[in-house]
Amino acid sequence: MLIVDFDPQGDLTDCLGWKNNDALENTVSTMLDDYINDKDIKYASLILKHEEDVDVIPANIELADFKMRLVSVINREQVLSSCLEPLRDRYDYILIDCPPSLGMHTVNALSAADQVLIPVQAQYLPAKGMTKLLQTIKKVQLKINSNLTIVGVAITLEDSKTDLAKSTTETIRDSFGRNIKVFDSEIPVATKAGEASISGKRIYSYYHEYIQKKIFTIL
């Protein structure tokens, strides 16, 4: 599996263990620049290998001015798609992590994708932004990528102890569940998930190590 960090904040890259991502010589921004300037993309030096058997194309703050670099580019909405096309046959899955905005980054990601999964926090403002996001997806389907489909909506950071989270979750299901699949499972707020992000490991590996340490301490 290949994971593409397409967020200028580089949070995904950070969470996977590359803390000083601004010091990385080759990132998704490098890949885009090579394509825009008609250079060969050096995938071998671009793709990082994570210890848990996933490949990563990292990102950092250099991606922030991506929109400016596309001003004179033909088919600018499909630059990312063109960059990733040679990698399609090498991986079973390619996951693209998008920034929480509806700008050119997200449009490029939607243009490159076959399916889109929508995570939404069980809070008022993220839920409110769902309508605008669905409008953007619809435009991409009509004008750029007719093969794009919505897998469903995953409710995240759900705190069942608060009335706000409960009412927001109900609103999401009532408002969008008739037309889009809203997964039954809800991802709760979890301290260990946040700690796993800091450690650069998936939650299962981190929690397994945590349990081992706790048992060792007790013994």
Side-chain angles (χ1 to χ4, degrees):
M1 180 172 69
L2 173 67
I3 303 176
V4 181
D5 190 350
F6 207 53
D7 187 341
Q9 296 182 80
D11 288 342
L12 176 62
T13 303
D14 190 322
C15 290
L16 289 174
W18 287 276
K19 301 299 181 183
N20 189 17
N21 53 12
D22 286 338
L24 292 173
E25 183 175 352
N26 296 304
T27 64
V28 68
S29 184
T30 310
M31 177 182 72
L32 298 168
D33 281 340
D34 286 344
Y35 176 81
I36 292 171
N37 294 312
D38 297 322
K39 296 180 180 179
D40 292 333
I41 299 173
K42 300 178 177 60
Y43 294 103
S45 59
L46 170 68
I47 298 172
L48 303 177
K49 303 290 183 179
H50 192 272
E51 61 182 10
E52 296 191 19
D53 200 27
V54 294
D55 289 353
V56 183
I57 295 181
N60 56 25
I61 195 62
E62 291 182 4
L63 187 60
D65 64 348
F66 175 55
K67 181 178 179 180
M68 298 297 295
R69 284 179 273 167
L70 294 178
V71 172
S72 60
V73 176
I74 298 174
N75 293 329
R76 60 179 182 169
E77 296 88 357
Q78 296 176 296
V79 170
L80 179 62
S81 178
S82 298
C83 290
L84 296 180
E85 187 62 32
L87 300 176
R88 279 181 173 268
D89 293 336
R90 290 172 51 179
Y91 296 95
D92 293 326
Y93 296 97
I94 298 177
L95 301 182
I96 306 172
D97 181 49
C98 300
S101 67
L102 297 178
M104 189 54 64
H105 293 83
T106 300
V107 171
N108 257 261
L110 292 173
S111 300
D114 299 312
Q115 298 178 312
V116 56
L117 172 64
I118 305 173
V120 57
Q121 296 181 22
Q123 298 177 13
Y124 173 70
L125 291 178
K128 183 180 178 181
M130 276 280 293
T131 300
K132 187 65 176 177
L133 173 60
L134 292 174
Q135 291 173 351
T136 300
I137 293 173
K138 186 67 175 178
K139 289 181 180 179
V140 171
Q141 289 173 322
L142 291 173
K143 299 183 178 181
I144 304 174
N145 184 3
S146 60
N147 296 320
L148 182 66
T149 59
I150 299 176
V151 176
V153 176
I155 298 175
T156 67
L157 296 179
E158 197 271 342
D159 187 352
S160 58
K161 297 178 182 179
T162 67
D163 292 336
L164 175 61
K166 292 178 182 177
S167 63
T168 303
T169 298
E170 291 175 359
T171 299
I172 293 172
R173 294 190 182 282
D174 292 341
S175 301
F176 304 103
R178 291 187 295 272
N179 301 313
I180 303 172
K181 179 180 179 59
V182 179
F183 294 104
D184 294 332
S185 298
E186 298 164 2
I187 303 173
V189 175
T191 302
K192 288 293 174 287
E195 293 176 356
S197 299
I198 296 174
S199 71
K201 300 178 180 178
R202 63 192 178 107
I203 182 64
Y204 302 109
S205 299
Y206 177 79
Y207 188 70
H208 179 67
E209 293 179 5
Y210 170 78
I211 291 297
Q212 285 186 322
K213 290 178 181 179
K214 293 292 287 186
I215 293 175
F216 179 81
T217 302
I218 294 173
L219 294 176

PDB file of all heavy atoms in Angstrom, residues 11 48 65 69 77 89 119 125 135 139 146 168-170 184 194 208:
ATOM      1  N   ASP A  11       1.061  16.505   8.467  1.00  0.00           N
ATOM      2  CA  ASP A  11       0.746  15.792   9.705  1.00  0.00           C
ATOM      3  C   ASP A  11       0.863  14.277   9.542  1.00  0.00           C
ATOM      4  O   ASP A  11       1.320  13.578  10.455  1.00  0.00           O
ATOM      5  CB  ASP A  11      -0.670  16.145  10.177  1.00  0.00           C
ATOM      6  CG  ASP A  11      -0.753  17.560  10.714  1.00  0.00           C
ATOM      7  OD1 ASP A  11       0.307  18.137  11.038  1.00  0.00           O
ATOM      8  OD2 ASP A  11      -1.867  18.100  10.812  1.00  0.00           O
ATOM      9  N   LEU A  48       9.274   6.748   0.634  1.00  0.00           N
ATOM     10  CA  LEU A  48       9.879   6.295   1.886  1.00  0.00           C
ATOM     11  C   LEU A  48       9.281   4.958   2.307  1.00  0.00           C
ATOM     12  O   LEU A  48       8.121   4.670   2.032  1.00  0.00           O
ATOM     13  CB  LEU A  48       9.647   7.327   2.996  1.00  0.00           C
ATOM     14  CG  LEU A  48      10.163   8.747   2.727  1.00  0.00           C
ATOM     15  CD1 LEU A  48       9.788   9.659   3.894  1.00  0.00           C
ATOM     16  CD2 LEU A  48      11.670   8.744   2.506  1.00  0.00           C
ATOM     17  N   ASP A  65       2.279  26.403  -1.544  1.00  0.00           N
ATOM     18  CA  ASP A  65       2.067  27.294  -2.690  1.00  0.00           C
ATOM     19  C   ASP A  65       1.751  26.525  -3.969  1.00  0.00           C
ATOM     20  O   ASP A  65       1.962  27.026  -5.077  1.00  0.00           O
ATOM     21  CB  ASP A  65       3.294  28.187  -2.896  1.00  0.00           C
ATOM     22  CG  ASP A  65       4.543  27.400  -3.269  1.00  0.00           C
ATOM     23  OD1 ASP A  65       4.519  26.154  -3.147  1.00  0.00           O
ATOM     24  OD2 ASP A  65       5.532  28.028  -3.677  1.00  0.00           O
ATOM     25  N   ARG A  69       1.764  27.579  -8.290  1.00  0.00           N
ATOM     26  CA  ARG A  69       2.597  26.936  -9.301  1.00  0.00           C
ATOM     27  C   ARG A  69       1.780  26.392 -10.468  1.00  0.00           C
ATOM     28  O   ARG A  69       2.333  26.051 -11.518  1.00  0.00           O
ATOM     29  CB  ARG A  69       3.414  25.804  -8.667  1.00  0.00           C
ATOM     30  CG  ARG A  69       4.593  26.289  -7.841  1.00  0.00           C
ATOM     31  CD  ARG A  69       5.339  25.126  -7.229  1.00  0.00           C
ATOM     32  NE  ARG A  69       4.773  24.740  -5.944  1.00  0.00           N
ATOM     33  CZ  ARG A  69       5.066  23.609  -5.304  1.00  0.00           C
ATOM     34  NH1 ARG A  69       5.877  22.737  -5.853  1.00  0.00           N
ATOM     35  NH2 ARG A  69       4.533  23.346  -4.143  1.00  0.00           N
ATOM     36  N   GLU A  77      -5.978  20.589 -12.786  1.00  0.00           N
ATOM     37  CA  GLU A  77      -6.731  19.797 -11.814  1.00  0.00           C
ATOM     38  C   GLU A  77      -6.287  18.337 -11.793  1.00  0.00           C
ATOM     39  O   GLU A  77      -6.634  17.585 -10.887  1.00  0.00           O
ATOM     40  CB  GLU A  77      -8.233  19.844 -12.121  1.00  0.00           C
ATOM     41  CG  GLU A  77      -8.863  21.221 -11.989  1.00  0.00           C
ATOM     42  CD  GLU A  77      -8.767  22.016 -13.283  1.00  0.00           C
ATOM     43  OE1 GLU A  77      -8.147  21.499 -14.246  1.00  0.00           O
ATOM     44  OE2 GLU A  77      -9.307  23.136 -13.341  1.00  0.00           O
ATOM     45  N   ASP A  89      -0.134   0.305 -10.920  1.00  0.00           N
ATOM     46  CA  ASP A  89       0.049  -1.145 -11.039  1.00  0.00           C
ATOM     47  C   ASP A  89       0.998  -1.718  -9.990  1.00  0.00           C
ATOM     48  O   ASP A  89       1.102  -2.939  -9.853  1.00  0.00           O
ATOM     49  CB  ASP A  89       0.575  -1.491 -12.438  1.00  0.00           C
ATOM     50  CG  ASP A  89      -0.457  -1.190 -13.525  1.00  0.00           C
ATOM     51  OD1 ASP A  89      -1.660  -1.162 -13.202  1.00  0.00           O
ATOM     52  OD2 ASP A  89      -0.050  -0.978 -14.690  1.00  0.00           O
ATOM     53  N   PRO A 119     -14.164  11.268   6.311  1.00  0.00           N
ATOM     54  CA  PRO A 119     -14.198  11.266   7.776  1.00  0.00           C
ATOM     55  C   PRO A 119     -14.730  12.604   8.268  1.00  0.00           C
ATOM     56  O   PRO A 119     -14.335  13.655   7.767  1.00  0.00           O
ATOM     57  CB  PRO A 119     -12.725  11.079   8.163  1.00  0.00           C
ATOM     58  CG  PRO A 119     -11.965  11.680   7.033  1.00  0.00           C
ATOM     59  CD  PRO A 119     -12.821  11.546   5.794  1.00  0.00           C
ATOM     60  N   LEU A 125     -19.121  22.321  13.402  1.00  0.00           N
ATOM     61  CA  LEU A 125     -18.512  22.942  12.222  1.00  0.00           C
ATOM     62  C   LEU A 125     -18.086  21.929  11.161  1.00  0.00           C
ATOM     63  O   LEU A 125     -18.358  22.144   9.971  1.00  0.00           O
ATOM     64  CB  LEU A 125     -17.335  23.823  12.646  1.00  0.00           C
ATOM     65  CG  LEU A 125     -17.715  25.092  13.417  1.00  0.00           C
ATOM     66  CD1 LEU A 125     -16.471  25.862  13.824  1.00  0.00           C
ATOM     67  CD2 LEU A 125     -18.634  25.985  12.579  1.00  0.00           C
ATOM     68  N   GLN A 135     -20.819  19.020  -2.621  1.00  0.00           N
ATOM     69  CA  GLN A 135     -20.982  19.811  -3.836  1.00  0.00           C
ATOM     70  C   GLN A 135     -19.707  19.781  -4.678  1.00  0.00           C
ATOM     71  O   GLN A 135     -19.758  19.674  -5.906  1.00  0.00           O
ATOM     72  CB  GLN A 135     -21.353  21.250  -3.485  1.00  0.00           C
ATOM     73  CG  GLN A 135     -22.748  21.411  -2.897  1.00  0.00           C
ATOM     74  CD  GLN A 135     -23.028  22.824  -2.410  1.00  0.00           C
ATOM     75  OE1 GLN A 135     -22.117  23.666  -2.349  1.00  0.00           O
ATOM     76  NE2 GLN A 135     -24.267  23.099  -2.063  1.00  0.00           N
ATOM     77  N   LYS A 139     -19.134  18.213  -8.516  1.00  0.00           N
ATOM     78  CA  LYS A 139     -18.560  18.956  -9.639  1.00  0.00           C
ATOM     79  C   LYS A 139     -17.404  18.185 -10.270  1.00  0.00           C
ATOM     80  O   LYS A 139     -17.269  18.157 -11.502  1.00  0.00           O
ATOM     81  CB  LYS A 139     -18.085  20.325  -9.156  1.00  0.00           C
ATOM     82  CG  LYS A 139     -19.213  21.290  -8.814  1.00  0.00           C
ATOM     83  CD  LYS A 139     -18.655  22.627  -8.361  1.00  0.00           C
ATOM     84  CE  LYS A 139     -19.779  23.600  -8.020  1.00  0.00           C
ATOM     85  NZ  LYS A 139     -19.258  24.913  -7.551  1.00  0.00           N
ATOM     86  N   SER A 146     -15.406  11.145 -13.855  1.00  0.00           N
ATOM     87  CA  SER A 146     -16.727  10.512 -13.804  1.00  0.00           C
ATOM     88  C   SER A 146     -16.710   9.166 -13.090  1.00  0.00           C
ATOM     89  O   SER A 146     -17.765   8.631 -12.729  1.00  0.00           O
ATOM     90  CB  SER A 146     -17.271  10.329 -15.234  1.00  0.00           C
ATOM     91  OG  SER A 146     -16.403   9.507 -15.998  1.00  0.00           O
ATOM     92  N   THR A 168     -25.072  15.771  16.980  1.00  0.00           N
ATOM     93  CA  THR A 168     -24.384  15.963  15.700  1.00  0.00           C
ATOM     94  C   THR A 168     -24.363  14.670  14.907  1.00  0.00           C
ATOM     95  O   THR A 168     -24.600  14.666  13.691  1.00  0.00           O
ATOM     96  CB  THR A 168     -22.938  16.456  15.928  1.00  0.00           C
ATOM     97  OG1 THR A 168     -22.953  17.662  16.687  1.00  0.00           O
ATOM     98  CG2 THR A 168     -22.244  16.708  14.598  1.00  0.00           C
ATOM     99  N   THR A 169     -24.090  13.568  15.587  1.00  0.00           N
ATOM    100  CA  THR A 169     -24.087  12.260  14.931  1.00  0.00           C
ATOM    101  C   THR A 169     -25.455  11.946  14.352  1.00  0.00           C
ATOM    102  O   THR A 169     -25.578  11.464  13.213  1.00  0.00           O
ATOM    103  CB  THR A 169     -23.668  11.162  15.925  1.00  0.00           C
ATOM    104  OG1 THR A 169     -22.342  11.414  16.387  1.00  0.00           O
ATOM    105  CG2 THR A 169     -23.706   9.791  15.265  1.00  0.00           C
ATOM    106  N   GLU A 170     -26.487  12.216  15.107  1.00  0.00           N
ATOM    107  CA  GLU A 170     -27.856  11.978  14.638  1.00  0.00           C
ATOM    108  C   GLU A 170     -28.179  12.849  13.422  1.00  0.00           C
ATOM    109  O   GLU A 170     -28.821  12.397  12.470  1.00  0.00           O
ATOM    110  CB  GLU A 170     -28.848  12.250  15.765  1.00  0.00           C
ATOM    111  CG  GLU A 170     -28.783  11.240  16.905  1.00  0.00           C
ATOM    112  CD  GLU A 170     -29.705  11.613  18.057  1.00  0.00           C
ATOM    113  OE1 GLU A 170     -30.373  12.666  17.952  1.00  0.00           O
ATOM    114  OE2 GLU A 170     -29.753  10.862  19.055  1.00  0.00           O
ATOM    115  N   ASP A 184     -21.912   2.357  10.328  1.00  0.00           N
ATOM    116  CA  ASP A 184     -22.484   2.149  11.657  1.00  0.00           C
ATOM    117  C   ASP A 184     -21.459   2.390  12.757  1.00  0.00           C
ATOM    118  O   ASP A 184     -21.764   2.962  13.802  1.00  0.00           O
ATOM    119  CB  ASP A 184     -23.046   0.728  11.785  1.00  0.00           C
ATOM    120  CG  ASP A 184     -24.234   0.502  10.860  1.00  0.00           C
ATOM    121  OD1 ASP A 184     -24.926   1.485  10.554  1.00  0.00           O
ATOM    122  OD2 ASP A 184     -24.460  -0.650  10.452  1.00  0.00           O
ATOM    123  N   GLY A 194      -4.018   9.250  19.994  1.00  0.00           N
ATOM    124  CA  GLY A 194      -3.165  10.433  19.934  1.00  0.00           C
ATOM    125  C   GLY A 194      -1.724  10.113  20.280  1.00  0.00           C
ATOM    126  O   GLY A 194      -0.785  10.609  19.656  1.00  0.00           O
ATOM    127  N   HIS A 208      -0.048  -2.603  21.842  1.00  0.00           N
ATOM    128  CA  HIS A 208       0.579  -3.876  22.220  1.00  0.00           C
ATOM    129  C   HIS A 208       1.833  -3.620  23.062  1.00  0.00           C
ATOM    130  O   HIS A 208       2.047  -4.272  24.089  1.00  0.00           O
ATOM    131  CB  HIS A 208       0.945  -4.667  20.968  1.00  0.00           C
ATOM    132  CG  HIS A 208       1.606  -5.978  21.240  1.00  0.00           C
ATOM    133  ND1 HIS A 208       0.952  -7.041  21.840  1.00  0.00           N
ATOM    134  CD2 HIS A 208       2.883  -6.400  21.027  1.00  0.00           C
ATOM    135  CE1 HIS A 208       1.781  -8.059  21.966  1.00  0.00           C
ATOM    136  NE2 HIS A 208       2.958  -7.694  21.474  1.00  0.00           N
TER     137      HIS A 208
END
